[in-house]
């Protein structure tokens, strides 16, 4: 769990992502050692996502996003996630409950690229069927800062 100092640091990092330890200490009126200790814990633990997770897909030449749900044959699941990791355009894969088993976010250059990527997903051992929805517009971007108050 993150504490009140972590919360203050994270709110500051949202405003100034490249803040140094000294900057954090000065702007939050905490000791440099305290700032260093908390930043180390946040960055070395699993509390913060990799910096690349904040990139917009268009920055890497893939402006089109799609959400893919997949049904999986549980008897053939061995090696599935390793195979999905080999598809660079699969940027997230989550196990879900309900009618489908997996939720994947993919990024693509265009509609033809979405088709190519989903065909590649279908080739992965254990995938029975998929359904794809194109992301038309991001209405509320992923956010966590509101939970830090």
């Amino acid at each position: 769990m993150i504490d009140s100092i972590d919360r203050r640091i994270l709110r500051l990092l949202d405003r100034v992502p490249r803040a140094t330890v000294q900057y954090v200490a000065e702007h939050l009126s905490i000791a440099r050692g305290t700032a260093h200790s908390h930043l180390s814990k946040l960055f070395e633990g699993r509390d913060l996502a990799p910096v690349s997770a904040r990139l917009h897909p268009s920055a890497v030449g893939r402006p089109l996003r799609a959400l893919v749900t997949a049904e999986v044959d549980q008897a053939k699941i061995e090696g599935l996630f390793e195979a999905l990791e080999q598809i660079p355009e699969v940027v997230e894969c989550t196990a879900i409950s309900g009618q489908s088993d997996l939720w994947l976010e993919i990024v693509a250059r265009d509609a033809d690229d979405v088709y190519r990527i989903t065909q590649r997903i279908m080739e992965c051992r254990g995938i029975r069927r998929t359904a794809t929805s194109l992301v038309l517009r991001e209405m509320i971007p992923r956010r966590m800062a509101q939970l830090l108050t």
Side-chain angles (χ1 to χ4, degrees):
M1 290 294 287
I2 60 174
D3 63 22
S4 62
I5 294 174
D6 295 332
R7 291 171 193 272
R8 292 173 58 208
I9 290 172
L10 290 168
R11 286 194 300 266
L12 178 62
L13 290 176
D14 267 356
R15 291 189 311 274
V16 186
R18 296 178 60 184
T20 63
V21 172
Q22 186 65 38
Y23 184 93
V24 170
E26 288 175 8
H27 281 76
L28 298 181
S29 299
I30 59 177
R32 189 177 189 289
T34 301
H36 184 270
S37 171
H38 282 265
L39 284 164
S40 292
K41 181 186 80 159
L42 288 169
F43 281 100
E44 291 169 8
R46 296 192 44 94
D47 295 326
L48 296 179
V51 172
S52 63
R54 295 185 64 178
L55 278 173
H56 289 280
S58 58
V60 291
R62 293 181 173 72
L64 190 56
R65 291 172 51 207
L67 307 176
V68 179
T69 55
E71 291 179 35
V72 176
D73 181 343
Q74 300 298 321
K76 297 180 181 177
I77 201 165
E78 187 176 329
L80 172 60
F81 301 108
E82 292 80 3
L84 290 170
E85 284 181 326
Q86 296 304 308
I87 304 171
E89 297 87 357
V90 173
V91 295
E92 186 173 355
C93 176
T94 307
I96 59 173
S97 64
Q99 200 170 12
S100 296
D101 301 302
L102 299 177
W103 177 90
L104 300 97
E105 181 178 347
I106 65 171
V107 293
R109 290 182 178 89
D110 53 33
D112 287 333
D113 204 25
V114 169
Y115 182 80
R116 178 191 62 78
I117 297 161
T118 56
Q119 290 303 301
R120 195 154 167 216
I121 291 168
M122 283 297 299
E123 292 170 359
C124 293
R125 181 176 194 258
I127 298 289
R128 281 191 194 148
R129 79 179 50 92
T130 63
T132 304
S133 299
L134 296 180
V135 174
L136 300 176
R137 178 177 289 170
E138 186 175 70
M139 305 309 280
I140 300 174
R142 183 169 178 84
R143 61 198 183 115
M144 298 299 274
Q146 76 282 2
L147 302 174
L148 298 172
T149 58

